[in-house]
Amino acid sequence: RLQGLAQNSLPKEQARPFQENGEYIGQKTVIHRTYVTPSFPDVSYAPDTNAYHKMDVYIPAGASSMSPCVICIHGGGWYKGSKGVALPSASLPGQPTYCDSLYSHGYVIADINYRLTQDSVFPAAVFDCKTAVRYLKKHASKYKIDTCRMGIMGGSAGAHLAAFVGTSIGIDSLEGFHLGSRGASSSVQAILDLWGPTDFNYFWNYYPNTPTDSCHPYPDSTNSYYLFPQQWLGTNSLTTAIAKVRIKKANPITYVNGNEPPFGIWHGTDDCVVPPVQSQMLSDALRAKGGSTELYFVPHGNHGITTLFPARDTIRQFFDRHILNPTFSCKLMMGSQALDDIPAVLIYPNPSQGKFRVQVPHLKMTRLEVYNTLGTLVYARIIQENQEEEEIDLECQPRGIYFVRVQTESDAFSRKIILTD
């Protein structure tokens, strides 16, 4: 049963029901929704034309050339659902949506499809979500995205996949590089997990105390909720030895190692589809490794977006805290290696119009490299004289963010440089 949940909770007035006619009815307030058309509909983020590899990209009016971006992953038990949950759409009238406030405050929104269980099983959808992130980074200028201010969110099965993006940074076997966009990283600056499963080993007998006909704590139940994880894992049971091996690989919590971006984790206390203790477990695992988490439980909230609607401002405020001024550095990922910004490396002027100097006090440089945000090497020089200072000229490179990698006799460091006009 549900025990030991954190005391943080969303205000009760933010957990009110959504009406099917497209209006939210609160105390003396009616909020009318405006339908939004994608700026780039049905973008293929993989080298095929399949519907499950398409996304809609929404660019708000007046967006700058380097805007923050949030990627939205729909739920549906890994077997159903589609893009269309991010913003109000005339094709899905009455559909509750996540990203209204983000979009109206200048965020680029990417609403993605991924492979469902009728097409493939784990880890196909993980490959798809990570490939979507990499694709957006490789085409950041087209979609006006700042690749160092990106987040990802999802509900239910979509939250499970979003959590995977956050906990498996740098694990090449989960990247799906065969789908393209290999030169970019799938890391983002913040993850929002809404009522998502994180450990299938603790799925049953952990439901909240609700009427007996609401929750069914029996593994392999004929209740369809129990069939969804089995289909996702490609197994007829979740209790066999083979299933346990697959479960471990398919649990985002398995990969927590302390290198994760900040997590927001929200759950309704009366959720009878995904036990609320799943969110508590993920938060505990992240904090045990020194990670940053914000854990909230919605009093009497059930499963699904209606629990939070219209708490869209709360969603935006989470991403504002962690994306607009990122607490998780934009890392240069090369395989499983991440090079963080180090104060010992001095770059000036920064921002620069193209020429700048790199200084490493009290250390002797042996090699300088510069990478763009896709991880592509754009400059390299071997330093023969073991200098402490060197000038770099990138005037021929496009304006944007780059990473300078400094190799010394004993270590390597990196630092961000911004090129402006």
Side-chain angles (χ1 to χ4, degrees), residues 193-318:
D193 172 337
L194 304 177
W195 46 86
T198 58
D199 191 336
F200 296 119
N201 288 308
Y202 298 92
F203 219 75
W204 295 274
N205 294 315
Y206 288 88
Y207 286 97
N209 291 312
T210 55
T212 55
D213 60 347
S214 297
C215 292
H216 308 277
Y218 301 104
D220 297 326
S221 166
T222 56
N223 185 295
S224 61
Y225 291 146
Y226 301 103
L227 300 179
F228 303 160
Q230 292 170 202
Q231 295 168 349
W232 167 233
L233 294 168
T235 178
N236 294 323
S237 171
L238 293 179
T239 58
T240 65
I242 293 178
K244 293 297 183 182
V245 173
R246 294 183 181 179
I247 285 172
K248 183 176 182 180
K249 292 181 179 179
N251 285 339
I253 201 170
T254 298
Y255 305 94
V256 172
N257 61 15
N259 291 323
E260 293 77 23
F263 267 68
I265 306 172
W266 299 350
H267 217 124
T269 60
D270 294 349
D271 191 333
C272 284
V273 178
V274 177
V277 73
Q278 292 277 302
S279 288
Q280 183 78 65
M281 293 173 64
L282 178 60
S283 177
D284 290 348
L286 290 164
R287 289 175 178 173
K289 295 290 187 179
S292 170
T293 68
E294 298 180 20
L295 177 64
Y296 297 95
F297 287 96
V298 182
H300 311 297
N302 53 23
H303 189 77
I305 191 172
T306 53
T307 289
L308 287 181
F309 192 87
R312 295 163 292 178
D313 281 337
T314 311
I315 290 173
R316 175 182 56 80
Q317 289 159 9
F318 167 78

Side-chain angles (χ1 to χ4, degrees), residues 48 76 88 90 123 151 205 272 289 360 365 373 397:
D48 58 53
N205 294 315
C272 284
K289 295 290 187 179
V360 188
M365 292 185 289
T373 54
Q397 295 294 327

Side-chain angles (χ1 to χ4, degrees), residues 16 120 341:
R16 297 172 289 184
S120 193
D341 289 353

